[in-house]
Amino acid sequence: MTELLIIWSVLVSQIMIALAMVCALYRVAKGPRAQDRILGLDTVYITAMLLLLTFGIRTANVLYFEAALTIALLGFVSTIAFAKFLMRGEVIE
Amino acid sequence: MTFLVDLPVWAAIPVCLLLLSGSALTLAGAIGLVRFQSFYERLHAPTLCTSGGVLLIALSSMIAFGVLQNRWIVHEVLIVVFMIVTTPVTLMLLGQSALYRDRAEKSAEVPRKTETAKADPGIDISGNDI
């Protein structure tokens, strides 16, 4: 009983996070403007990190959590760089 | 999936509930990202993913690993703290640059800087300068 509950809830939550990633990818593809695409890309980063967290819960591997931390760091830096680029036209002045 | 089935029932139920509610919040935020009309409305939607989703899923993995392995939980705490600190920074910067672009194009959607605020910089009644 407990096995079934855990297996199904992990699977369902992974499917929901993957659907969220698809929604964010739709926003990246459709636009309509550059800032919308950047917002979608930021959401793709976050959902990828959540997906890695659920994989980590499923397999009990610490490596997934370190990968999730790295993705969070890189997503933050890249979104900041994109926003800076939109504002000024260059990243490093 | 080999180890999670050893979880006792009293720990399995909160783990499952937290996982499901966290991913449901993430999905709700992403659907909001698709369905809202203007960019400034859309800017609010992904915060559901970053605050609710990350917090609840990290909490569930904390419970699972704390019960099963007696592991010192530091990765999840790091991830949660990092997300809570960085999300407002990125979204505010993105909103600011979008506002800058819309004003440069003289778009009708955003409020303009008023003339009185320009004439008297001491009192900014518009309250929306960059």
Side-chain angles (χ1 to χ4, degrees), chain B residues 103-126:
Chain B
R103 274 193 180 142
E105 290 174 353
K106 300 204 174 4
S107 160
E109 283 184 21
V110 295
R112 222 164 271 142
K113 284 186 190 175
T114 54
E115 291 300 318
T116 51
K118 248 179 219 167
D120 186 5
I123 307 162
D124 187 3
I125 54 169
S126 67

Side-chain angles (χ1 to χ4, degrees), chain A residues 12-66:
Chain A
V12 166
S13 74
Q14 277 179 343
I15 288 173
M16 280 203 270
I17 293 172
L19 275 180
M21 197 184 242
V22 169
C23 289
L25 279 175
Y26 167 80
R27 187 46 75 191
V28 172
K30 183 151 176 285
R33 302 195 64 199
Q35 50 260 41
D36 296 294
R37 292 175 208 270
I38 294 173
L39 191 62
L41 196 66
D42 191 50
T43 315
V44 170
Y45 270 118
I46 293 160
T47 47
M49 196 198 74
L50 287 177
L51 207 55
L52 276 181
L53 278 186
T54 50
F55 271 119
I57 293 174
R58 190 169 165 166
T59 58
N61 197 342
V62 189
L63 209 61
Y64 282 115
F65 291 93
E66 286 170 13

Side-chain angles (χ1 to χ4, degrees), chain A residues 2-3 6 9 13 16 20 23 27 33-36 46 50 56-58 60 65-66 69 72-73 76 87, chain B residues 1 3-5 9 16 23 26 30 33-34 39 42 50 61 65 75 79 82 86 90 97 100-102 105:
Chain A
T2 317
E3 299 175 24
I6 290 172
S9 67
S13 74
M16 280 203 270
C23 289
R27 187 46 75 191
R33 302 195 64 199
Q35 50 260 41
D36 296 294
I46 293 160
L50 287 177
I57 293 174
R58 190 169 165 166
F65 291 93
E66 286 170 13
L69 201 54
L73 265 169
F76 168 63
M87 192 119 153
Chain B
M1 204 57 81
F3 89 104
L4 265 184
V5 292
V9 181
C16 293
S23 50
T26 310
L33 190 65
V34 169
F39 172 76
R42 257 175 243 142
T50 57
S61 90
F65 287 114
H75 285 88
I79 289 173
F82 187 78
T86 57
T90 54
S97 61
Y100 177 78
R101 289 187 90 196
D102 278 347
E105 290 174 353

Side-chain angles (χ1 to χ4, degrees), chain B:
Chain B
M1 204 57 81
T2 52
F3 89 104
L4 265 184
V5 292
D6 301 333
L7 216 59
V9 181
W10 58 268
I13 290 172
V15 165
C16 293
L17 278 182
L18 285 173
L19 256 182
L20 285 177
S21 53
S23 50
L25 268 183
T26 310
L27 186 57
I31 288 174
L33 190 65
V34 169
R35 292 209 46 188
F36 276 135
Q37 293 303 317
S38 78
F39 172 76
Y40 298 100
E41 289 168 359
R42 257 175 243 142
L43 199 56
H44 297 278
T47 52
L48 268 185
C49 308
T50 57
S51 56
V54 173
L55 194 71
L56 293 179
I57 290 178
L59 203 61
S60 88
S61 90
M62 269 182 190
I63 294 175
F65 287 114
V67 169
L68 279 174
Q69 299 184 344
N70 286 325
R71 169 165 85 79
W72 175 239
I73 305 154
V74 68
H75 285 88
E76 289 92 338
V77 176
L78 265 181
I79 289 173
V80 167
V81 167
F82 187 78
M83 289 315 290
I84 286 176
V85 168
T86 57
T87 310
V89 178
T90 54
L91 293 186
M92 257 194 266
L93 208 59
L94 196 57
Q96 225 173 29
S97 61
L99 189 61
Y100 177 78
R101 289 187 90 196
D102 278 347
R103 274 193 180 142
E105 290 174 353
K106 300 204 174 4
S107 160
E109 283 184 21
V110 295
R112 222 164 271 142
K113 284 186 190 175
T114 54
E115 291 300 318
T116 51
K118 248 179 219 167
D120 186 5
I123 307 162
D124 187 3
I125 54 169
S126 67
N128 53 17
D129 78 352
I130 294 177

